[in-house]
Short mmCIF file of all heavy atoms in Angstrom, two decimals:
data_model
loop_
_atom_site.label_atom_id
_atom_site.label_comp_id
_atom_site.label_asym_id
_atom_site.label_seq_id
_atom_site.Cartn_x
_atom_site.Cartn_y
_atom_site.Cartn_z
N GLN A 1 5.33 14.61 -18.92
CA GLN A 1 6.49 13.74 -18.69
C GLN A 1 6.04 12.31 -18.91
O GLN A 1 4.96 11.89 -18.39
CB GLN A 1 7.00 13.94 -17.25
CG GLN A 1 8.26 13.13 -16.97
CD GLN A 1 8.73 13.39 -15.55
OE1 GLN A 1 8.08 14.09 -14.79
NE2 GLN A 1 9.84 12.77 -15.18
N PRO A 2 6.79 11.50 -19.67
CA PRO A 2 6.36 10.12 -19.93
C PRO A 2 6.36 9.29 -18.66
O PRO A 2 7.03 9.59 -17.70
CB PRO A 2 7.38 9.64 -20.93
CG PRO A 2 8.59 10.49 -20.71
CD PRO A 2 8.07 11.86 -20.36
N LEU A 3 5.55 8.24 -18.68
CA LEU A 3 5.48 7.33 -17.55
C LEU A 3 6.74 6.46 -17.51
O LEU A 3 6.88 5.53 -18.34
CB LEU A 3 4.22 6.47 -17.66
CG LEU A 3 3.87 5.59 -16.45
CD1 LEU A 3 3.54 6.47 -15.24
CD2 LEU A 3 2.68 4.69 -16.80
N SER A 4 7.62 6.76 -16.61
CA SER A 4 8.92 6.09 -16.55
C SER A 4 8.87 4.82 -15.74
O SER A 4 7.89 4.51 -15.08
CB SER A 4 9.98 7.02 -15.98
OG SER A 4 9.68 7.28 -14.60
N ARG A 5 9.97 4.08 -15.75
CA ARG A 5 10.07 2.86 -14.94
C ARG A 5 9.97 3.22 -13.45
O ARG A 5 9.35 2.48 -12.69
CB ARG A 5 11.38 2.18 -15.23
CG ARG A 5 11.65 0.88 -14.45
CD ARG A 5 12.90 0.21 -14.90
NE ARG A 5 13.18 -0.99 -14.10
CZ ARG A 5 13.88 -0.98 -12.95
NH1 ARG A 5 14.33 0.15 -12.49
NH2 ARG A 5 14.10 -2.11 -12.29
N THR A 6 10.57 4.33 -13.07
CA THR A 6 10.48 4.77 -11.66
C THR A 6 9.04 5.04 -11.26
O THR A 6 8.61 4.66 -10.19
CB THR A 6 11.35 6.03 -11.46
OG1 THR A 6 12.71 5.68 -11.71
CG2 THR A 6 11.23 6.51 -10.02
N HIS A 7 8.32 5.75 -12.16
CA HIS A 7 6.91 6.02 -11.89
C HIS A 7 6.13 4.72 -11.68
O HIS A 7 5.29 4.63 -10.77
CB HIS A 7 6.32 6.82 -13.04
CG HIS A 7 6.82 8.21 -13.15
ND1 HIS A 7 6.91 8.89 -14.32
CD2 HIS A 7 7.27 9.08 -12.18
CE1 HIS A 7 7.40 10.10 -14.10
NE2 HIS A 7 7.64 10.23 -12.83
N LYS A 8 6.38 3.77 -12.52
CA LYS A 8 5.68 2.48 -12.45
C LYS A 8 5.99 1.76 -11.09
O LYS A 8 5.09 1.22 -10.48
CB LYS A 8 6.06 1.57 -13.63
CG LYS A 8 5.55 2.08 -14.96
CD LYS A 8 6.04 1.20 -16.09
CE LYS A 8 5.57 1.74 -17.41
NZ LYS A 8 6.09 0.95 -18.58
N LEU A 9 7.25 1.83 -10.68
CA LEU A 9 7.60 1.20 -9.40
C LEU A 9 6.91 1.90 -8.23
O LEU A 9 6.48 1.25 -7.28
CB LEU A 9 9.13 1.24 -9.21
CG LEU A 9 9.96 0.29 -10.09
CD1 LEU A 9 11.46 0.54 -9.89
CD2 LEU A 9 9.61 -1.18 -9.76
N VAL A 10 6.85 3.24 -8.30
CA VAL A 10 6.16 4.00 -7.25
C VAL A 10 4.69 3.62 -7.19
O VAL A 10 4.14 3.39 -6.10
CB VAL A 10 6.31 5.50 -7.52
CG1 VAL A 10 5.36 6.32 -6.62
CG2 VAL A 10 7.75 5.98 -7.28
N LEU A 11 4.05 3.51 -8.34
CA LEU A 11 2.64 3.15 -8.37
C LEU A 11 2.41 1.72 -7.89
O LEU A 11 1.41 1.43 -7.19
CB LEU A 11 2.07 3.30 -9.80
CG LEU A 11 2.01 4.74 -10.32
CD1 LEU A 11 1.61 4.78 -11.79
CD2 LEU A 11 1.02 5.55 -9.49
N ILE A 12 3.31 0.82 -8.19
CA ILE A 12 3.20 -0.57 -7.69
C ILE A 12 3.29 -0.59 -6.17
O ILE A 12 2.53 -1.29 -5.51
CB ILE A 12 4.31 -1.46 -8.35
CG1 ILE A 12 3.99 -1.68 -9.82
CG2 ILE A 12 4.42 -2.80 -7.62
CD1 ILE A 12 5.13 -2.38 -10.58
N CYS A 13 4.24 0.17 -5.63
CA CYS A 13 4.38 0.26 -4.16
C CYS A 13 3.13 0.85 -3.55
O CYS A 13 2.68 0.42 -2.47
CB CYS A 13 5.60 1.11 -3.80
SG CYS A 13 7.17 0.30 -4.09
N PHE A 14 2.55 1.83 -4.21
CA PHE A 14 1.31 2.43 -3.70
C PHE A 14 0.19 1.39 -3.66
O PHE A 14 -0.56 1.32 -2.67
CB PHE A 14 0.93 3.61 -4.65
CG PHE A 14 -0.26 4.39 -4.15
CD1 PHE A 14 -0.22 5.05 -2.96
CD2 PHE A 14 -1.43 4.42 -4.91
CE1 PHE A 14 -1.32 5.80 -2.52
CE2 PHE A 14 -2.53 5.13 -4.47
CZ PHE A 14 -2.45 5.84 -3.28
N LEU A 15 0.06 0.56 -4.69
CA LEU A 15 -0.96 -0.48 -4.69
C LEU A 15 -0.66 -1.54 -3.62
O LEU A 15 -1.57 -2.02 -2.94
CB LEU A 15 -1.04 -1.12 -6.08
CG LEU A 15 -1.58 -0.23 -7.18
CD1 LEU A 15 -1.51 -0.95 -8.53
CD2 LEU A 15 -3.03 0.18 -6.89
N LEU A 16 0.59 -1.92 -3.50
CA LEU A 16 0.98 -2.94 -2.49
C LEU A 16 0.70 -2.41 -1.06
O LEU A 16 0.38 -3.17 -0.17
CB LEU A 16 2.48 -3.28 -2.62
CG LEU A 16 2.87 -4.09 -3.85
CD1 LEU A 16 4.38 -4.27 -3.91
CD2 LEU A 16 2.17 -5.45 -3.83
N ASN A 17 0.81 -1.08 -0.91
CA ASN A 17 0.50 -0.48 0.38
C ASN A 17 -0.96 -0.78 0.78
O ASN A 17 -1.25 -1.10 1.95
CB ASN A 17 0.72 1.03 0.32
CG ASN A 17 0.36 1.75 1.60
OD1 ASN A 17 1.04 1.64 2.60
ND2 ASN A 17 -0.79 2.43 1.59
N PHE A 18 -1.86 -0.74 -0.19
CA PHE A 18 -3.25 -1.01 0.11
C PHE A 18 -3.53 -2.49 0.33
O PHE A 18 -4.41 -2.85 1.08
CB PHE A 18 -4.17 -0.43 -1.00
CG PHE A 18 -4.44 1.02 -0.83
CD1 PHE A 18 -3.65 1.98 -1.41
CD2 PHE A 18 -5.47 1.43 0.02
CE1 PHE A 18 -3.89 3.31 -1.21
CE2 PHE A 18 -5.70 2.78 0.22
CZ PHE A 18 -4.95 3.71 -0.40
N VAL A 19 -2.75 -3.34 -0.33
CA VAL A 19 -2.84 -4.78 -0.07
C VAL A 19 -2.43 -5.03 1.39
O VAL A 19 -3.11 -5.75 2.13
CB VAL A 19 -1.96 -5.57 -1.05
CG1 VAL A 19 -1.95 -7.05 -0.63
CG2 VAL A 19 -2.45 -5.42 -2.45
N ALA A 20 -1.33 -4.42 1.81
CA ALA A 20 -0.85 -4.57 3.21
C ALA A 20 -1.87 -3.97 4.17
O ALA A 20 -2.12 -4.54 5.25
CB ALA A 20 0.50 -3.89 3.37
N LEU A 21 -2.50 -2.86 3.77
CA LEU A 21 -3.49 -2.22 4.64
C LEU A 21 -4.69 -3.15 4.84
O LEU A 21 -5.17 -3.33 5.99
CB LEU A 21 -3.93 -0.92 3.99
CG LEU A 21 -5.09 -0.16 4.68
CD1 LEU A 21 -4.74 0.17 6.10
CD2 LEU A 21 -5.43 1.13 3.90
N ILE A 22 -5.18 -3.73 3.77
CA ILE A 22 -6.34 -4.62 3.88
C ILE A 22 -6.00 -5.81 4.76
O ILE A 22 -6.79 -6.23 5.63
CB ILE A 22 -6.79 -5.09 2.47
CG1 ILE A 22 -7.32 -3.90 1.67
CG2 ILE A 22 -7.87 -6.18 2.57
CD1 ILE A 22 -7.59 -4.22 0.23
N TYR A 23 -4.80 -6.38 4.52
CA TYR A 23 -4.39 -7.56 5.32
C TYR A 23 -4.26 -7.21 6.79
O TYR A 23 -4.71 -7.94 7.67
CB TYR A 23 -3.05 -8.08 4.76
CG TYR A 23 -2.58 -9.32 5.48
CD1 TYR A 23 -3.14 -10.57 5.20
CD2 TYR A 23 -1.55 -9.25 6.42
CE1 TYR A 23 -2.68 -11.72 5.86
CE2 TYR A 23 -1.10 -10.38 7.11
CZ TYR A 23 -1.67 -11.63 6.81
OH TYR A 23 -1.24 -12.73 7.48
N GLY A 24 -3.64 -6.07 7.06
CA GLY A 24 -3.45 -5.67 8.45
C GLY A 24 -4.75 -5.41 9.17
O GLY A 24 -4.92 -5.77 10.35
N VAL A 25 -5.67 -4.74 8.47
CA VAL A 25 -6.97 -4.47 9.09
C VAL A 25 -7.75 -5.72 9.37
O VAL A 25 -8.36 -5.89 10.43
CB VAL A 25 -7.78 -3.52 8.18
CG1 VAL A 25 -9.24 -3.44 8.61
CG2 VAL A 25 -7.17 -2.13 8.18
N LEU A 26 -7.75 -6.66 8.38
CA LEU A 26 -8.54 -7.88 8.55
C LEU A 26 -7.85 -8.87 9.51
O LEU A 26 -8.53 -9.52 10.31
CB LEU A 26 -8.76 -8.54 7.21
CG LEU A 26 -9.57 -7.72 6.15
CD1 LEU A 26 -9.67 -8.48 4.86
CD2 LEU A 26 -10.98 -7.43 6.72
N GLU A 27 -6.55 -9.00 9.41
CA GLU A 27 -5.87 -10.04 10.18
C GLU A 27 -5.43 -9.58 11.53
O GLU A 27 -5.50 -10.31 12.52
CB GLU A 27 -4.62 -10.50 9.37
CG GLU A 27 -3.88 -11.67 9.97
CD GLU A 27 -4.66 -12.97 9.91
OE1 GLU A 27 -5.57 -13.08 9.06
OE2 GLU A 27 -4.36 -13.89 10.70
N PHE A 28 -4.98 -8.30 11.65
CA PHE A 28 -4.41 -7.83 12.91
C PHE A 28 -5.25 -6.71 13.56
O PHE A 28 -4.83 -6.13 14.55
CB PHE A 28 -2.98 -7.34 12.69
CG PHE A 28 -2.06 -8.37 12.13
CD1 PHE A 28 -1.54 -8.23 10.85
CD2 PHE A 28 -1.73 -9.50 12.87
CE1 PHE A 28 -0.69 -9.17 10.34
CE2 PHE A 28 -0.86 -10.46 12.37
CZ PHE A 28 -0.36 -10.31 11.07
N LYS A 29 -6.41 -6.41 12.97
CA LYS A 29 -7.29 -5.38 13.53
C LYS A 29 -6.59 -4.03 13.67
O LYS A 29 -6.72 -3.33 14.65
CB LYS A 29 -7.86 -5.82 14.87
CG LYS A 29 -8.47 -7.20 14.90
CD LYS A 29 -9.65 -7.33 13.95
CE LYS A 29 -10.24 -8.71 13.96
NZ LYS A 29 -11.27 -8.91 12.91
N TRP A 30 -5.82 -3.69 12.66
CA TRP A 30 -5.15 -2.40 12.66
C TRP A 30 -6.15 -1.24 12.78
O TRP A 30 -7.28 -1.32 12.29
CB TRP A 30 -4.32 -2.19 11.38
CG TRP A 30 -3.05 -2.93 11.39
CD1 TRP A 30 -2.55 -3.74 12.37
CD2 TRP A 30 -2.08 -2.99 10.32
NE1 TRP A 30 -1.33 -4.24 11.99
CE2 TRP A 30 -1.04 -3.80 10.73
CE3 TRP A 30 -2.04 -2.39 9.05
CZ2 TRP A 30 0.08 -4.06 9.92
CZ3 TRP A 30 -0.95 -2.67 8.26
CH2 TRP A 30 0.09 -3.47 8.69
N TYR A 31 -5.70 -0.17 13.43
CA TYR A 31 -6.54 1.02 13.55
C TYR A 31 -5.70 2.22 13.10
O TYR A 31 -4.68 2.07 12.37
CB TYR A 31 -7.04 1.18 15.00
CG TYR A 31 -8.03 2.25 15.20
CD1 TYR A 31 -9.15 2.39 14.38
CD2 TYR A 31 -7.85 3.23 16.21
CE1 TYR A 31 -10.09 3.40 14.57
CE2 TYR A 31 -8.77 4.26 16.38
CZ TYR A 31 -9.90 4.32 15.55
OH TYR A 31 -10.76 5.34 15.73
N ILE A 32 -6.10 3.41 13.48
CA ILE A 32 -5.50 4.65 12.99
C ILE A 32 -4.00 4.70 13.15
O ILE A 32 -3.23 5.10 12.27
CB ILE A 32 -6.17 5.85 13.65
CG1 ILE A 32 -7.55 6.09 13.05
CG2 ILE A 32 -5.34 7.12 13.48
CD1 ILE A 32 -8.36 7.22 13.70
N THR A 33 -3.49 4.28 14.33
CA THR A 33 -2.07 4.37 14.60
C THR A 33 -1.27 3.48 13.64
O THR A 33 -0.26 3.92 13.06
CB THR A 33 -1.76 3.95 16.05
OG1 THR A 33 -2.46 4.82 16.94
CG2 THR A 33 -0.27 3.98 16.36
N GLU A 34 -1.69 2.24 13.48
CA GLU A 34 -0.98 1.31 12.58
C GLU A 34 -1.11 1.72 11.12
O GLU A 34 -0.12 1.62 10.36
CB GLU A 34 -1.55 -0.10 12.77
CG GLU A 34 -1.29 -0.76 14.12
CD GLU A 34 -2.25 -0.27 15.21
OE1 GLU A 34 -3.26 0.43 14.84
OE2 GLU A 34 -2.03 -0.58 16.37
N ILE A 35 -2.27 2.21 10.71
CA ILE A 35 -2.44 2.67 9.35
C ILE A 35 -1.54 3.87 9.05
O ILE A 35 -0.93 3.98 7.99
CB ILE A 35 -3.93 3.01 9.08
CG1 ILE A 35 -4.77 1.74 9.18
CG2 ILE A 35 -4.10 3.66 7.71
CD1 ILE A 35 -6.28 1.99 9.10
#
């Protein structure tokens, strides 16, 4: 199946999730519950 616009948006959200994860861990000391 070709890589559609929807697929690209899903992958972007997936990457943004890790940006938020790094920020939360470093800034707010997130742990298992928050992650």
Side-chain angles (χ1 to χ4, degrees):
Q1 184 180 3
L3 188 64
S4 66
R5 180 174 176 273
T6 298
H7 291 150
K8 292 176 182 178
L9 288 174
V10 168
L11 292 173
I12 289 171
C13 287
F14 185 64
L15 292 176
L16 289 176
N17 177 74
F18 278 93
V19 173
L21 173 58
I22 294 171
Y23 182 77
V25 167
L26 297 178
E27 186 69 21
F28 302 113
K29 309 300 179 187
W30 282 359
Y31 187 51
I32 285 177
T33 300
E34 293 80 9
I35 295 173

